[in-house]
Amino acid sequence: MQPSEMVMNLKQVFLSVLIFGVAGLLLFMYLQAWIEEQHTGRVEKRGEQKLQVTSGWGPVKYLWPVPRIMSTEKIQEHITNQNPKFHMPEDIREKRENLLLNSERSTRVLTKTSHSQGRDEALSNTTGSPTEKWIEEHQGAKTLFNKFSKMNWPVDIHPLNKSLVKDNKWKKTDETQEKRRSFLQEFCKKYGGVSHHQSHLFNTVSRIYVEDKHKILYCEVPKAGCSNWKRILMVLNGLASSAYNISHDAVHYGKHLKKLDSFDLKGIYTRLNTYTKAVFVRDPMERLVSAFRDKFEHPNSYYHPVFGRAIIKKYRPNACEEALINGSGVKFKEFIHYLLDSHRPVGMDIHWEKVSKLCYPCLINYDFVGKFETLEEDANYFLQMIGAPKELKFPNFKDRHSSDERTNAQVVRQYLKDLTRTERQLIYDFYYLDYLMFNYTTPFL
């Protein structure tokens, strides 16, 4: 065989191998993409199915009534599968993520096992690499995360300390309080049989405010007296001399109060198990109507452009250009369509989110359950019980829009009359767990 022929044969072999190699690579890439597509499709399908099961209905344009009485399994599913995702402005979300990172970093320093501490001592005599130090810190954080994940949920309930309550006039209030606590506790025992905590810890405690001096944890429920409660916490913290001298902006935008998710895991755990935990709730229908009136019937630089525009765009046929631009003038029926839609154009908001997803009453056993319907009485009893200054009384003024009539049962009926019976039923079903947990009367639908 001539040398030139040998060279030609080698070239042919090389080209054949190259072609087969490229073909094999392309086939592998195609198969990998196909497998990922199939997996993603299954995950999305399961997610949609879970969403439909959790919400209890499909998209709002296919409104149909669901049974008013849910099974025990269905109620347990509502309680255990709670992982709230709120619509949150980007800057706030970034601050929150940084806060979580800082909390975890500080945890790593505080919570190392004896084994990792021993390794620290050994490494302190040498110049450890950044990788070695990171591994040790990661192990320290992992240890406490594991410890907290094994924490017994729900958090234990404690007998209320009534030694500071001297006045007999609180006897009826105290009896009512004990009934509320017992009712909620029995409800959670019956329906909230959770063996695993399925929501992220920081989400669970993100609505809880901390007052260290009097050892109070207060879970914020918007439209249930939360603005005045935050004023009271500021006074108890020594940040103000009177609740009546604190403006709305100072309460909500001043960042004067600490939240429980700003602490490291050890701080969260300690406070949950030693502080007096309080939550104040409100009839779900009243709270919903109150939120709508506050956010959509008055000028608002956030809710109109963020929520209003999205709601009008999706639920108002032939909307005018001005409404699509500024988002003002949302109608209550449009707002309800948004609320009940499993494919909302914009996320949920704390002002109309369920209390069961804001405060997790079957994971955190609250020592005190107040109600908006008896707000002043409950709040002043609580203040006396925790040893607040005698002159400190819960303020009874309306935080904003003081000239408007307070949202009550009569006002709610005026708004509900514009809805169909099916829509009213679905609102009730949406807040079904809140109605059950806090023993509210079923509304006339």
Side-chain angles (χ1 to χ4, degrees):
M1 184 180 291
Q2 296 297 324
S4 60
E5 293 177 351
M6 291 179 64
V7 171
M8 288 296 293
N9 288 337
L10 288 173
K11 287 182 177 180
Q12 290 173 351
V13 171
F14 176 74
L15 286 173
S16 299
V17 172
L18 181 62
I19 291 170
F20 278 111
V22 172
L25 180 61
L26 290 173
L27 179 61
F28 172 77
M29 292 171 66
Y30 171 79
L31 289 173
Q32 186 180 34
W34 182 81
I35 291 170
E36 289 179 355
E37 183 180 351
Q38 294 298 313
H39 175 72
T40 303
R42 287 195 297 270
V43 170
E44 289 176 351
K45 187 175 181 181
R46 284 198 300 268
E48 291 175 1
Q49 290 172 344
K50 182 177 179 181
L51 181 60
Q52 293 291 340
V53 170
T54 303
S55 61
W57 47 78
V60 73
K61 62 182 179 181
Y62 300 116
L63 288 173
W64 57 75
V66 285
R68 185 171 300 179
I69 304 299
M70 295 186 184
S71 64
T72 300
E73 292 77 11
K74 186 73 174 177
I75 296 172
Q76 287 176 337
E77 182 182 337
H78 274 257
I79 295 172
T80 55
N81 292 335
Q82 294 182 26
N83 188 14
K85 292 183 179 179
F86 303 115
H87 183 85
M88 190 180 297
E90 202 65 35
D91 58 335
I92 298 177
R93 186 183 292 111
E94 289 176 4
K95 290 179 183 178
R96 176 171 171 73
E97 289 172 354
N98 291 335
L99 184 62
L100 293 181
L101 289 173
N102 292 334
S103 298
E104 291 174 4
R105 289 193 190 104
S106 62
T107 299
R108 293 172 186 168
V109 177
L110 293 171
T111 60
K112 295 182 179 177
T113 61
S114 57
H115 176 66
S116 64
Q117 287 172 345
R119 290 177 61 185
D120 278 346
E121 292 173 2
L123 285 169
S124 64
N125 297 324
T126 62
T127 306
S129 68
T131 303
E132 289 172 331
K133 292 178 180 178
W134 181 87
I135 290 173
E136 288 179 8
E137 291 177 352
H138 180 70
Q139 287 176 337
K142 186 176 179 182
T143 299
L144 190 58
F145 269 110
N146 290 337
K147 177 181 177 182
F148 205 97
S149 66
K150 295 175 182 177
M151 169 181 163
N152 292 325
W153 291 90
V155 177
D156 291 338
I157 194 167
H158 304 291
L160 289 172
N161 180 8
K162 302 171 187 176
S163 60
L164 297 176
V165 180
K166 306 297 184 182
D167 200 331
N168 290 329
K169 74 175 184 177
W170 300 112
K171 183 178 180 181
K172 185 178 178 181
T173 307
D174 178 64
E175 291 174 353
T176 301
Q177 183 57 218
E178 290 299 330
K179 288 178 182 177
R180 289 176 187 166
R181 292 205 313 158
S182 298
F183 184 91
L184 180 58
Q185 194 174 15
E186 290 303 315
F187 171 87
C188 292
K189 281 181 181 178
K190 184 176 181 180
Y191 297 111
V194 288
S195 57
H196 299 287
H197 180 44
Q198 297 187 7
S199 179
H200 193 285
L201 168 65
F202 288 95
N203 276 336
T204 306
V205 301
S206 64
R207 307 310 313 168
I208 297 180
Y209 285 86
V210 180
E211 201 282 289
D212 284 316
K213 183 178 179 181
H214 296 84
K215 296 187 176 182
I216 300 170
L217 297 181
Y218 163 71
C219 186
E220 175 192 28
V221 177
K223 313 312 299 177
C226 70
S227 297
N228 283 337
W229 257 118
K230 285 192 267 190
R231 289 183 171 94
I232 288 292
L233 293 178
M234 291 175 69
V235 174
L236 291 174
N237 265 306
L239 300 172
S241 58
S242 170
Y244 290 87
N245 299 330
I246 308 173
S247 69
H248 173 86
D249 287 351
V251 168
H252 291 283
Y253 310 118
K255 307 298 180 186
H256 300 295
L257 299 171
K258 293 180 289 186
K259 285 187 177 180
L260 193 53
D261 63 352
S262 67
F263 294 87
D264 60 31
L265 294 178
K266 183 179 179 182
I268 294 173
Y269 178 86
T270 301
R271 286 169 176 82
L272 279 175
N273 282 281
T274 58
Y275 282 25
T276 302
K277 302 175 289 294
V279 61
F280 278 71
V281 299
R282 186 177 186 177
D283 176 271
M285 289 284 190
E286 280 193 20
R287 183 171 162 254
L288 177 67
V289 173
S290 177
F292 173 78
R293 296 176 72 198
D294 181 29
K295 304 307 178 188
F296 295 103
E297 292 187 349
H298 296 273
N300 193 296
S301 60
Y302 173 72
Y303 284 91
H304 289 191
V306 175
F307 287 88
R309 288 172 61 183
I311 291 172
I312 292 172
K313 182 178 180 181
K314 183 166 184 179
Y315 307 108
R316 183 182 297 179
N318 305 317
C320 68
E321 185 177 355
E322 183 181 359
L324 291 171
I325 291 174
N326 59 35
S328 298
V330 171
K331 299 174 183 176
F332 186 63
K333 192 179 186 74
E334 295 168 339
F335 174 68
I336 296 305
H337 283 185
Y338 146 79
L339 180 76
L340 301 177
D341 193 345
S342 59
H343 301 285
R344 298 183 190 96
V346 62
M348 279 294 287
D349 182 83
I350 61 171
H351 290 83
W352 46 84
E353 182 58 281
K354 309 161 192 173
V355 177
S356 57
K357 282 192 173 183
L358 292 173
C359 298
Y360 296 89
C362 283
L363 289 175
I364 301 173
N365 271 326
Y366 288 91
D367 305 300
F368 193 95
V369 179
K371 289 192 173 183
F372 186 81
E373 293 74 13
T374 53
L375 179 58
E376 282 187 68
E377 183 181 338
D378 292 345
N380 287 324
Y381 174 58
F382 180 79
L383 289 174
Q384 189 170 103
M385 191 177 62
I386 55 105
K390 291 183 179 180
E391 65 276 10
L392 181 61
K393 304 297 180 184
F394 193 83
N396 58 2
F397 63 85
K398 201 166 182 241
D399 187 54
R400 290 200 300 175
H401 317 308
S402 56
S403 61
D404 290 359
E405 181 184 3
R406 281 190 182 271
T407 303
N408 52 34
Q410 186 176 356
V411 172
V412 169
R413 280 194 291 271
Q414 293 300 312
Y415 282 81
L416 294 183
K417 72 178 184 180
D418 295 329
L419 306 179
T420 66
R421 180 178 177 83
T422 299
E423 289 166 340
R424 295 195 297 268
Q425 174 70 50
L426 288 176
I427 298 172
Y428 171 70
D429 292 329
F430 184 83
Y431 292 107
Y432 185 71
L433 206 56
D434 286 359
Y435 274 102
L436 286 185
M437 279 185 170
F438 301 107
N439 199 22
Y440 276 108
T441 305
T442 304
F444 176 74
L445 301 174

